[in-house]
Amino acid sequence: MAKKFYITTPIYYPSASPHLGHAYCSVMADILRRSKALLGYDTYFLTGLDEHGEKIEKNAEAKGITPQQFVDEIATKFLNLWKLLGISNDDFIRTTDKRHVDTIQKVFTRYLNNDDVYLSRYKGWYCVHEETFWTETQVGKEHLCPECGRSVEEKEEEAYFFSCQKYLPSLLKIFEENPSFVTPVGRKQEMINNFIKPGLNDLCVTRTTFSWGIPVKENKKHVVYVWLDALFNYITALGYLQEDDTKFQKYWMDEESEIVHLVGADITRFHTIYWPMFLEALGLRKPSRIFVHGLMMMKDGKMSKSKGNVIYAEPLVEHYGLDAVRYYLASEIIFGQDGQFTPELFIERLNADLANNLGNLLNRTVSMIGKYFDGMAPTHEKDFGEEDLAINQKIQETITEYEKDINSLKVTEAYHAVMELVSMGNKYIEQKAPWALAKDANKKDELASTMAHLVEVLHVSSVLLSPILLEKSAQIDEQLGIGEDYRNFSSLKKKLPSTLVHKGNPLFMRLENEKEVEWLKSLMAMPKEKAAA
Ligand code: MSP
């Protein structure tokens, strides 16, 4: 039976139009999902929206509509964007879904019955924007939110608390026994030093000062705190505590299923500290890994609507094509590290890797097979000299490294390895100089073998790049005349038949540097309403 892989993105706040930063996380989750599926895993991919909370209530009020109308409008924008970006999610959970609301209420009842939550009073400094209470020391003399820098309000209210102390030992045990539970590993130490060592307080898990949330059935003036509500999306979507929980049993409870939550660095604390405790209290298994990806930054810091330095995915996809944008996101920002969007690097990456490296290799190969073999690609019969042996070896190493890297979530590294193979293909052409071989009648076999090697390089690269290049990958094999039967991981080691190649359009157009950089800059300077339209 195929091994299982369950991947999630955070559920996004529907408080604004999604920008390239949100797109980054969903595209990376999608690439991982498709890469694991390519490796033969039985995969399931979830994304969705985090629709409750005071911020949404206030935003809706300002627009003169109900919170439900407000979130419905924005949900459509997210769904459209995911479609545009080729996001292959199996489900789209919204925390206003009845299935989610029902489960959260059942969970809260269980917590109450088990004394995991208790009623008390809360006094603290509250940031509406981050939906988070902070302590006196955290907000400092200026009373500013340590996360977003906005002013916080002092609030006191009756609230339910989740008893963290009870579950702290089990959390520490997970940290200890499973070194890759939080990846990159530095993030785990950060959590221990910043939040656990100073003493972990019980977590306030309800609110009484606004109403846009899931009501606590036993005490209706309380709504469930947005983070308790939100984190559970990962299992409510699978059917936890619902009539049909087949997916929950299959992708969550089965110890053989690998569960990966992809999260931005800003929400690591909730996923690595509270989420495992919430699960422990219900006797449920924990995710295999919380993978903390970096943020996409702009020159002046984090991309955010309030700073007005946002770039959106839509105009990029329209102008450069879906595959180019997906490729840029996966290759330019090392998965797990912060990255910076600059127009110069964007254009350079597309030109260097896609047009000059990959596109060129295909173009040269198909042209030469046309010229020297009337379009019939020769089969790989013999090797001639060390260049052939080296390229054979590189093909095998790339396949092995790709599998290893994807399985350890080193997405950028896996794809860099494939592009290295492509570069080697281009160098191989220079080394073998097919134009010289073609002039010597005795070198016909060597020329044929050279073409066969190039076809192999391109075919292997095309299949391995298929999780990123949703359109162009298949076009590579089409130009090479290679059929669907060969377009899977397990066929990569099979000998390719002789095929009829046909030259198509260039895969990627070479971009005019200055002109494109100017255009991107004008896009970044555009008022946000227009850019996001
Ligand atoms: N609703 C919470 C998450 C609850 S999950 C149980 C939330 N939402 S969010 O919309 O503010 O951010 C969600 C995620 O979007 C971040 O964790 C991150 O993965 C992604 N990003 C938002 N801005 C980003 C960048 N500038 N760069 C990269 N990713 C970014 O927090």
Side-chain angles (χ1 to χ4, degrees):
M1 224 172 35
K3 284 194 258 170
K4 290 173 286 239
F5 180 72
Y6 176 39
I7 178 137
T8 66
T9 71
I11 47 170
Y12 303 97
Y13 288 131
S15 48
S17 298
H19 55 59
L20 196 63
H22 302 110
Y24 172 70
C25 181
S26 290
V27 167
M28 293 312 287
D30 184 66
I31 290 173
L32 248 177
R33 178 280 169 68
R34 290 178 190 261
S35 309
K36 287 292 251 191
L38 181 67
L39 295 178
Y41 282 73
D42 168 347
T43 56
Y44 199 81
F45 171 19
L46 177 72
T47 187
L49 292 181
D50 186 357
E51 301 190 320
H52 291 124
E54 190 169 4
K55 197 164 42 173
I56 308 270
E57 194 175 79
K58 287 195 167 161
N59 286 348
E61 205 179 277
K63 276 188 95 179
I65 54 178
T66 65
Q68 189 64 54
Q69 283 168 329
F70 181 86
V71 294
D72 285 350
E73 254 176 43
I74 296 185
T76 313
K77 291 193 185 177
F78 274 87
L79 285 167
N80 288 341
L81 179 61
W82 299 158
K83 200 164 156 212
L84 181 79
L85 289 169
I87 305 299
S88 63
N89 53 304
D90 295 288
D91 197 354
F92 187 75
I93 181 95
R94 299 178 56 183
T95 51
T96 50
D97 287 349
K98 184 171 182 309
R99 54 181 174 160
H100 179 80
V101 173
D102 288 351
T103 296
I104 293 294
Q105 289 182 324
K106 285 183 196 158
V107 164
F108 207 89
T109 304
R110 289 194 177 192
Y111 283 164
L112 274 174
N113 293 344
N114 196 27
D115 292 330
D116 289 322
V117 297
Y118 60 90
L119 192 60
S120 180
R121 291 194 70 74
Y122 195 88
K123 195 168 167 202
W125 295 93
Y126 188 65
C127 172
V128 177
H129 188 261
E130 298 298 322
E131 317 254 12
T132 304
F133 268 107
W134 302 103
T135 60
E136 189 77 41
T137 27
Q138 284 169 319
V139 297
K141 278 202 197 94
E142 308 276 307
H143 297 143
L144 299 177
C145 170
E147 194 72 50
C148 69
R150 291 177 172 80
S151 289
V152 291
E153 305 162 27
E154 192 171 31
K155 277 194 181 180
E156 182 172 354
E157 60 183 78
E158 179 188 278
Y160 286 90
F161 285 79
F162 182 85
S163 192
C164 291
Q165 294 317 316
K166 225 165 136 181
Y167 298 106
L168 189 57
S170 72
L171 177 72
L172 293 173
K173 201 161 155 242
I174 301 173
F175 280 2
E176 232 176 77
E177 286 176 358
N178 184 353
S180 56
F181 178 65
V182 187
T183 325
V185 279
R187 301 285 182 187
K188 179 175 85 179
Q189 211 44 48
E190 215 175 282
M191 291 299 116
I192 296 177
N193 294 345
N194 298 353
F195 300 105
I196 297 180
K197 280 205 182 135
L200 190 66
N201 294 327
D202 286 352
L203 180 74
C204 173
V205 288
T206 64
R207 294 282 182 274
T208 53
T209 49
F210 62 92
S211 58
W212 183 240
I214 301 178
V216 172
K217 260 188 166 163
E218 292 77 1
N219 188 348
K220 293 244 166 59
K221 72 176 187 225
H222 289 259
V223 294
V224 176
Y225 173 47
V226 71
W227 272 100
L228 176 65
D229 168 354
L231 287 162
F232 272 92
N233 88 86
Y234 301 129
I235 57 175
T236 59
L238 296 178
Y240 176 56
L241 299 183
Q242 293 153 46
E243 211 172 304
D244 180 3
D245 73 346
T246 328
K247 286 191 197 112
F248 174 69
Q249 296 302 340
K250 181 174 171 189
Y251 292 106
W252 194 276
M253 288 313 279
D254 186 343
E255 285 295 332
E256 294 286 298
S257 174
E258 185 184 347
I259 304 170
V260 175
H261 296 312
L262 201 56
V263 302
D266 47 346
I267 55 175
T268 315
R269 178 167 68 109
F270 291 100
H271 283 82
T272 56
I273 298 181
Y274 301 113
W275 180 224
M277 291 192 184
F278 291 162
L279 289 165
E280 178 71 20
L282 296 165
L284 300 176
R285 79 162 269 201
K286 320 302 169 288
S288 323
R289 261 209 221 193
I290 314 288
F291 188 94
V292 184
H293 69 75
L295 290 180
M296 180 184 285
M297 314 288 269
M298 301 302 267
K299 274 216 172 92
D300 48 351
K302 192 178 159 183
M303 196 186 302
S304 83
K305 245 191 151 171
S306 39
K307 274 196 189 161
N309 64 354
V310 179
I311 185 135
Y312 293 93
E314 289 88 341
L316 297 182
V317 172
E318 197 182 309
H319 198 75
Y320 301 106
L322 170 63
D323 288 355
V325 174
R326 287 173 64 99
Y327 180 78
Y328 163 79
L329 293 176
S331 63
E332 185 63 33
I333 304 165
I334 297 171
F335 197 45
Q337 295 179 20
D338 285 346
Q340 201 187 74
F341 180 91
T342 70
E344 291 81 2
L345 286 178
F346 182 84
I347 301 300
E348 196 184 307
R349 176 63 75 175
L350 302 193
N351 268 344
D353 292 9
L354 298 181
N356 295 347
N357 198 12
L358 183 62
N360 215 11
L361 183 65
L362 178 68
N363 191 32
R364 293 167 91 187
T365 303
V366 173
S367 300
M368 289 189 291
I369 294 173
K371 192 163 161 196
Y372 304 134
F373 294 93
D374 288 332
M376 275 315 281
T379 51
H380 182 170
E381 302 302 335
K382 268 205 275 176
D383 292 318
F384 294 79
E386 61 190 58
E387 289 92 1
D388 285 6
L389 298 179
I391 202 115
N392 290 344
Q393 191 182 342
K394 184 75 177 176
I395 293 175
Q396 297 315 319
E397 278 171 9
T398 306
I399 299 173
T400 312
E401 178 164 353
Y402 177 90
E403 183 164 22
K404 196 172 112 236
D405 283 346
I406 291 295
N407 282 334
S408 35
L409 308 185
K410 292 184 172 162
V411 182
T412 314
E413 289 85 343
Y415 288 99
H416 282 177
V418 181
M419 292 317 283
E420 253 181 50
L421 172 64
V422 176
S423 302
M424 187 157 167
N426 275 312
K427 278 192 209 110
Y428 173 80
I429 296 183
E430 302 308 318
Q431 291 164 338
K432 299 293 287 193
W435 44 91
L437 295 176
K439 285 191 189 132
D440 185 342
N442 295 328
K443 297 269 170 83
K444 189 84 184 166
D445 284 352
E446 187 170 351
L447 180 64
S449 168
T450 304
M451 294 303 120
H453 280 88
L454 289 171
V455 170
E456 274 176 17
V457 168
L458 277 161
H459 168 64
V460 167
S461 308
S462 135
V463 171
L464 297 184
L465 286 167
S466 62
I468 299 185
L469 306 181
L470 303 186
E471 293 157 357
K472 307 289 179 179
S473 149
Q475 285 173 21
I476 298 175
D477 273 344
E478 267 163 34
Q479 292 201 26
L480 295 173
I482 296 174
E484 266 306 305
D485 294 1
Y486 287 86
R487 291 189 52 73
N488 57 65
F489 193 74
S490 51
S491 299
L492 286 183
K493 299 200 168 167
K494 272 205 254 168
K495 183 175 167 178
L496 290 168
S498 173
T499 52
L500 182 65
V501 304
H502 41 88
K503 213 170 161 141
N505 292 327
L507 272 192
F508 297 94
M509 298 307 281
R510 199 154 296 140
L511 302 164
E512 220 182 286
N513 235 308
E514 266 174 39
K515 187 175 130 214
E516 298 302 330
V517 167
E518 275 317 300
W519 183 75
L520 284 170
K521 283 188 177 158
S522 69
L523 204 67
M524 287 156 73
M526 221 180 252
K528 57 193 171 201
E529 301 75 25
K530 242 180 134 182

